[in-house]
Amino acid sequence: MKQITVVGVGYVGLVTAACFSDLGNKVIALDVNEERVKGLKRGEMPIYEPGLEELVERNVAAGRLDFTTDYKSALQDSEFVFICVGTPSGVDGKADLKYVESAARSIAENMQAPLIVINKSTVPVGTGDWVAEIMAEAQPKAIDFAVVSCPEFLREGAAISDFMNPHRTVLGSLDREAADKVAQLHLQLRSPIVITDLRTAEMIKYASNAFLATKISFINEIADICESLGADVKEVAAGMGFDARIGKHFLEAGLGYGGSCFPKDVKALAFMAEEMNQEPRILNAVMHVNGLRRGMIVERLKDLVGDLDGKTIGLLGLAFKANTDDMRDAPSVDIANALMAAGATVRAFDPVAMEVAARDLPKVAMADDAYSLAEGVDALIVVTDWNEFKHLDLERIRDSMAAPVLLDGRNIYFPDQMKSLGFTYRGVGRGYNGAGEVQTEVKVPTNAV
């Protein structure tokens, strides 16, 4: 059993602390937000993530996980300290590293024995070197330490599974012995471990997220072309996905990416490129295509219902994706604001995100469930692909609406079924120019005996 300190109990930090404690380690999770720490000690989660509350509760009860605001006590007897603080994006895309700097200084000022400092926050290339310089300067007396980059690859809504079953663990350091010790922490996860230098590890994180964001923007551009030509992007994506060189993941056309990672990381990587006099042509195109998606859905709604002034529109979903309450850069915010600017009244329902969303959308009325949301609305827009939305009683939804108009921003319904139910229905990229709809059939040949 190792003793680990995790600085920051936001999304990445809390998942990291809970999972490492569940692997049998003693973990002290530190945060400077006293109310957040008090809440965690009472068993109150600051974020929604499936399975996280139970994981925290189990490891606190077992004595493997504790929370504090005090650096000195948190670092006592720890061999490893993970920095998991936020790195918000500035207007120009530059990552704000004030929380990383504060954590590094506080660690240096309070460390009592040699430490391996592991940066898990998503930080610009070169930050590991910078953290080492800050710590060397801030130490009251010289104590050995090493800096290791270990970027996170956690998907919101599946973070615990991703931590426990990673595709790979990336480690970067100028101190190979320190990197090997951090690798030992991860051996139980039985995943490939990539050990490289600090800057390369930091770049792997940005390049990975930028590539996934590129796939999303690509399929959204293909969706628009499909719609104009009468092809179905769902079937196009399925046909593409069988090619192992392409893969099926992140080829879901819709409202584009949001959340705390992709928007910030693509923008930050483009900023870093420009700082080095490189022109990030593809990254800029990715951001441009993504930025068009939210306005696109509002314009398509106008095509279906006409002038929005005086209309009541319901939003099915608010969080930027299912299985989270994260509203950071959520498409719902821009869509709701555009609808209200056009004179519409907006109502919404989300299974978990309404309390968080109310802070960003104070003029949006929150419904108790999807059925009360549908009552009397002139149209519904599917904004988040919550699984429960796929299993609604659609006839009840239809009968409750003032007009059965449904704009499916996540393509969770079958167009032919929706039309047979009497909906005026439109998805994204489903081929509506009169060429008809074709359900692609995949046949797998069996070997002849």
Side-chain angles (χ1 to χ4, degrees), residues 252-392:
E252 294 290 339
L255 300 178
Y257 58 78
S260 63
C261 294
F262 287 4
K264 173 175 66 71
D265 292 352
V266 177
K267 194 174 182 181
L269 185 55
F271 176 85
M272 284 185 271
E274 289 168 350
E275 286 280 281
M276 295 293 105
N277 297 316
Q278 300 294 320
E279 186 177 351
R281 300 176 186 88
I282 293 176
L283 298 179
N284 286 336
V286 167
M287 291 186 285
H288 176 70
V289 171
N290 196 66
L292 298 175
R293 305 313 291 171
R294 300 163 193 203
M296 169 273 297
I297 210 74
V298 175
E299 292 305 310
R300 292 185 181 184
L301 181 64
K302 291 177 181 177
D303 292 341
L304 295 179
V305 303
D307 189 359
L308 295 176
D309 190 24
K311 298 284 198 315
T312 299
I313 309 300
L315 303 183
L316 276 168
L318 290 164
F320 90 93
K321 63 178 289 188
N323 297 318
T324 180
D325 62 352
D326 198 342
M327 288 294 297
R328 287 174 288 185
D329 203 32
S332 62
V333 176
D334 291 333
I335 292 169
N337 286 331
L339 293 171
M340 290 186 289
T345 298
V346 180
R347 290 156 49 181
F349 169 71
D350 189 284
V352 302
M354 290 192 292
E355 183 177 348
V356 178
R359 297 195 292 264
D360 296 316
L361 297 169
K363 294 182 180 180
V364 173
M366 302 296 172
D368 293 332
D369 54 42
Y371 299 108
S372 59
L373 171 69
E375 292 177 4
V377 299
D378 295 290
L380 286 172
I381 304 176
V382 177
V383 180
T384 312
D385 57 344
W386 284 95
N387 195 52
E388 67 181 71
F389 294 162
K390 301 174 186 177
H391 303 285
L392 294 173

Side-chain angles (χ1 to χ4, degrees), residues 5 28 51 67 119 157 161 181 223 234 241-242 268 291 293 298 322 376 383 421 427 441:
T5 299
I28 309 296
F67 302 96
N119 200 351
S161 175
K181 288 181 178 179
K234 290 278 285 187
F242 286 110
R293 305 313 291 171
V298 175
V383 180
L421 288 171
E441 181 180 3

Side-chain angles (χ1 to χ4, degrees), residues 444-449:
V444 181
T446 58
N447 292 329
V449 177

Side-chain angles (χ1 to χ4, degrees), residues 143-224:
I143 301 175
D144 288 342
F145 68 89
V147 175
V148 176
S149 174
C150 180
E152 56 86 13
F153 298 97
L154 305 178
R155 295 169 299 160
E156 292 190 48
I160 294 171
S161 175
D162 285 349
F163 187 100
M164 295 298 193
N165 305 281
H167 293 113
R168 79 291 202 196
T169 298
V170 175
L171 302 174
S173 184
L174 301 179
D175 185 327
R176 180 56 189 252
E177 183 180 355
D180 287 339
K181 288 181 178 179
V182 179
Q184 289 290 324
L185 278 181
H186 293 82
L187 283 183
Q188 288 174 272
L189 304 177
R190 298 185 178 275
S191 69
I193 297 176
V194 178
I195 299 180
T196 182
D197 62 88
L198 271 170
R199 294 187 176 221
T200 301
E202 292 164 345
M203 187 63 181
I204 288 171
K205 167 65 175 180
Y206 278 104
S208 297
N209 276 2
F211 182 74
L212 296 176
T214 300
K215 288 186 75 172
I216 294 170
S217 285
F218 174 82
I219 201 63
N220 277 325
E221 187 162 293
I222 293 297
D224 291 343

Side-chain angles (χ1 to χ4, degrees), residues 54-103:
E54 295 82 359
L55 196 66
V56 170
E57 182 181 329
R58 178 169 71 245
N59 285 285
V60 168
R64 292 189 296 266
L65 177 60
D66 198 7
F67 302 96
T68 185
T69 59
D70 181 59
Y71 268 93
K72 189 170 290 293
S73 63
L75 295 173
Q76 186 176 0
D77 300 325
S78 284
E79 182 181 354
F80 305 92
V81 54
F82 284 83
I83 296 178
C84 302
V85 297
T87 54
S89 179
V91 175
D92 57 2
K94 183 178 182 180
D96 186 345
L97 297 178
K98 63 183 176 184
Y99 302 117
V100 174
E101 180 179 4
S102 177

